[in-house]
């Protein structure tokens, strides 16, 4: 394995300068990580952002199999002992992987046997939490195939030297985002939601939508906007049902979603629209707009990676409860969910009450919001 580049004052100064430059220009985070990789040739480096604001520039991965990234995002993020360690680890403190979990313990985990070993991932690593905020967190980690003591000590030293500069740079980054775009903090959270979301005004026109909604409209898949900017299905009957649901929702005082508005697609499972009076979701973080209705459109073929598994682990849901929670979060009516799962409706109701008791989510709306609050994983 090649020897690392010496940590000269000039090299450290170069990296520190690169960190602050990246805080000012997000496109420079990747060149910074690539520069670190040149210090340790063949090193696997993961700079991950796990936050709801969609900070793609803070997700840089080098020398890591694409198949492993897909599996990680789809399932193993929620089962990683290293992710579980993040809330307990001090921000900016370099840590060896064996401090988090011993090699013997790691080898007994599903994470190792079904994920790390099949993908031939390195287990001799070190890393640190770069920041931990209410909206999520970011981390930087290194991993080698071989347990080279000197090379790992070199990496730990480098992380320690760069830690305070990462902390200051990320604070600067957040301050600049706030300064450059005043009043858009709520929109940033809105854009990070796992489902397409629309805020409709008193005429049923789109007042604002998040990025997933924009992408959905751009694809003209299951939903479109008419000349007045109102959401419509490509099926006239479904369009009328959607229009009636929006009108009904504006007058509705109950705090439950209006389920059952299906938006068919050619050759694929239909989209599902859920609607709430905007007054009932004022704590959802929706941008302040003159809208009266929140419409969330879920795609049963595009479940948010790891969200339901994360909820299941954190709140101790049983596998059967997790399956029902997955359906409810996707907007499937309880009667239909019961049919899909092959259980009686009364059983589904009892199971839903258990989910609500464990999670503290007493409305379907709260369960959807909980799923949306799970930090996303943004990979290039």
């Amino acid at each position: 394995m090649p020897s690392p580049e010496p940590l000269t004052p000039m090299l450290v100064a170069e990296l520190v300068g690169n960190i602050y430059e990246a805080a000012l220009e997000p496109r420079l985070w990747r060149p910074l990580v690539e520069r670190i990789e040149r210090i340790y040739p063949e090193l696997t480096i993961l700079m991950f952002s796990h936050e709801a604001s969609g900070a793609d520039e803070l997700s840089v991965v080098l020398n890591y199999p694409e198949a492993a990234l897909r599996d990680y995002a789809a399932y193993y993020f929620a089962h990683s002992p290293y992710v579980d360690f993040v809330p307990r680890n001090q921000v900016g403190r370099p840590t060896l992987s064996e401090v988090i979990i011993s090699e013997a313990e790691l080898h007994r985990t599903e994470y190792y046997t079904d994920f790390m070993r099949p993908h031939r991932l390195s287990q001799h690593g070190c890393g640190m939490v770069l920041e931990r905020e209410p909206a999520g967190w970011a981390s930087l980690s290194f991993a080698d195939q071989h347990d080279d003591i000197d090379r790992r000590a070199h990496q730990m030293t480098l992380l320690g030297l760069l830690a305070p500069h990462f902390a200051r740079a990320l604070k600067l980054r957040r301050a600049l985002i706030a300064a450059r775009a005043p009043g858009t903090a709520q929109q940033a959270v809105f854009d990070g939601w796992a489902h397409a979301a629309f805020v409709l005004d008193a005429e049923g026109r789109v007042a604002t939508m998040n990025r997933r909604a924009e992408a959905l409209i751009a694809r003209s898949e299951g939903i479109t906007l008419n000349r007045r900017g109102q959401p419509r299905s490509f099926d006239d009957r479904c369009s009328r049902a959607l229009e009636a649901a929006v009108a009904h929702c504006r007058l509705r005082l109950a705090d439950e979603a209006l389920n059952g508005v299906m938006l068919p697609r050619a050759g694929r499972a239909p989209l599902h629209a859920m609607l709430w009076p905007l007054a009932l979701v004022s704590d959802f973080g929706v941008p302040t707009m003159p809208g009266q209705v929140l419409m969330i459109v879920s795609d049963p073929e595009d479940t948010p990676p790891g969200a339901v598994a994360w909820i299941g682990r954190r709140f101790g849901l049983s596998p059967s409860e997790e399956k029902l929670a997955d359906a409810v979060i996707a907007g499937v009516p309880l009667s239909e969910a019961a049919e899909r799962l092959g259980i009686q409706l009364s059983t589904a109701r009892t199971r839903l009450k258990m989910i609500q008791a464990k999670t503290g989510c007493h409305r379907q709306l709260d369960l959807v919001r909980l799923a949306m609050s799970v930090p996303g994983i943004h990979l290039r």
Side-chain angles (χ1 to χ4, degrees):
M1 182 172 291
S3 299
E5 187 176 339
L7 289 180
T8 64
M10 183 173 295
L11 173 60
V12 174
E14 176 190 351
L15 293 174
V16 169
N18 291 346
I19 289 172
Y20 289 110
E21 288 175 352
L24 298 173
E25 175 47 68
R27 290 177 296 178
L28 297 179
W29 287 113
R30 174 166 284 273
L32 165 65
V33 175
E34 290 171 346
R35 179 65 184 94
I36 294 175
E37 194 272 341
R38 291 200 299 274
I39 300 173
Y40 309 101
E42 304 175 8
L43 182 72
T44 296
I45 305 180
L46 300 95
M47 185 177 189
F48 268 179
S49 168
H50 301 270
E51 59 179 38
S53 60
D56 287 339
E57 76 275 0
L58 281 179
S59 291
V60 182
V61 179
L62 297 181
N63 301 327
Y64 202 86
E66 290 187 11
L69 289 176
R70 289 194 297 269
D71 288 350
Y72 180 80
Y75 180 78
Y76 290 98
F77 164 68
H79 296 76
S80 168
Y82 304 108
V83 172
D84 283 344
F85 184 72
V86 168
R88 308 193 302 274
N89 197 29
Q90 179 181 330
V91 173
R93 185 174 71 183
T95 305
L96 291 168
S97 57
E98 56 264 35
V99 173
I100 299 174
I101 182 170
S102 70
E103 184 173 325
E105 291 176 309
L106 176 65
H107 289 180
R108 291 195 295 269
T109 65
E110 175 191 28
Y111 186 79
Y112 176 79
T113 57
D114 295 347
F115 175 61
M116 292 186 69
R117 189 168 61 182
H119 287 296
R120 299 181 180 179
L121 300 179
S122 308
Q123 67 183 67
H124 306 292
C126 62
M128 65 182 176
V129 180
L130 300 179
E131 71 169 353
R132 187 168 52 233
E133 298 288 337
W137 50 272
S139 64
L140 176 64
S141 62
F142 306 153
D144 278 321
Q145 288 288 349
H146 304 287
D147 188 10
D148 186 316
I149 296 176
D150 293 336
R151 182 166 154 118
R152 296 182 76 196
H154 193 283
Q155 294 163 8
M156 290 284 286
T157 300
L158 177 62
L159 287 174
L161 292 171
L162 299 183
H165 301 287
F166 270 114
R168 296 184 192 117
L170 291 175
K171 287 181 180 178
L172 174 61
R173 167 182 168 268
R174 290 191 179 276
L176 288 174
I177 290 173
R180 288 171 177 169
T184 63
Q186 287 180 314
Q187 182 67 45
V189 174
F190 194 44
D191 283 336
W193 283 12
H195 294 301
F198 302 80
V199 176
L200 310 180
D201 66 15
E203 302 300 322
R205 298 171 298 195
V206 173
T208 187
M209 60 181 128
N210 65 4
R211 290 180 180 177
R212 279 186 174 263
E214 291 175 355
L216 190 62
I217 294 296
R219 294 197 303 268
S220 295
E221 186 180 282
I223 186 172
T224 186
L225 301 180
N226 65 14
R227 292 181 180 179
R228 299 189 61 202
Q230 298 165 316
R232 290 291 182 264
S233 167
F234 293 102
D235 182 286
D236 289 341
R237 181 175 55 83
C238 294
S239 284
R240 290 193 295 271
L242 182 61
E243 185 176 10
V246 172
H248 185 197
C249 192
R250 287 202 304 269
L251 304 175
R252 193 179 179 90
L253 299 178
D255 64 353
E256 58 185 30
L258 292 174
N259 288 306
V261 182
M262 310 303 291
L263 305 174
R265 296 183 291 180
R268 299 183 62 188
L271 301 174
H272 195 285
M274 298 179 286
L275 299 96
W276 290 274
L278 194 59
L280 296 175
V281 293
S282 57
D283 56 346
F284 235 62
V286 177
T288 302
M289 297 291 292
Q292 293 188 344
V293 173
L294 172 67
M295 182 175 73
I296 296 176
V297 178
S298 62
D299 183 350
E301 299 177 6
D302 186 22
T303 302
V308 176
W310 179 280
I311 292 171
R313 291 186 70 204
R314 288 297 177 269
F315 296 97
L317 302 185
S318 68
S320 57
E321 290 168 349
E322 192 173 307
K323 290 178 182 178
L324 182 60
D326 191 9
V328 170
I329 289 168
V332 178
L334 194 59
S335 57
E336 183 180 334
E339 184 177 348
R340 289 186 185 182
L341 297 175
I343 59 177
Q344 297 294 323
L345 179 57
S346 58
T347 303
R349 289 186 178 127
T350 301
R351 198 167 291 173
L352 180 58
K353 289 180 180 178
M354 289 297 297
I355 295 169
Q356 292 171 332
K358 290 181 178 181
T359 62
C361 297
H362 301 297
R363 303 176 300 172
Q364 180 190 7
L365 173 62
D366 295 326
L367 195 58
V368 173
R369 178 171 53 187
L370 176 61
M372 289 182 175
S373 71
V374 174
I377 308 164
H378 307 287
L379 306 173
R380 283 189 180 277

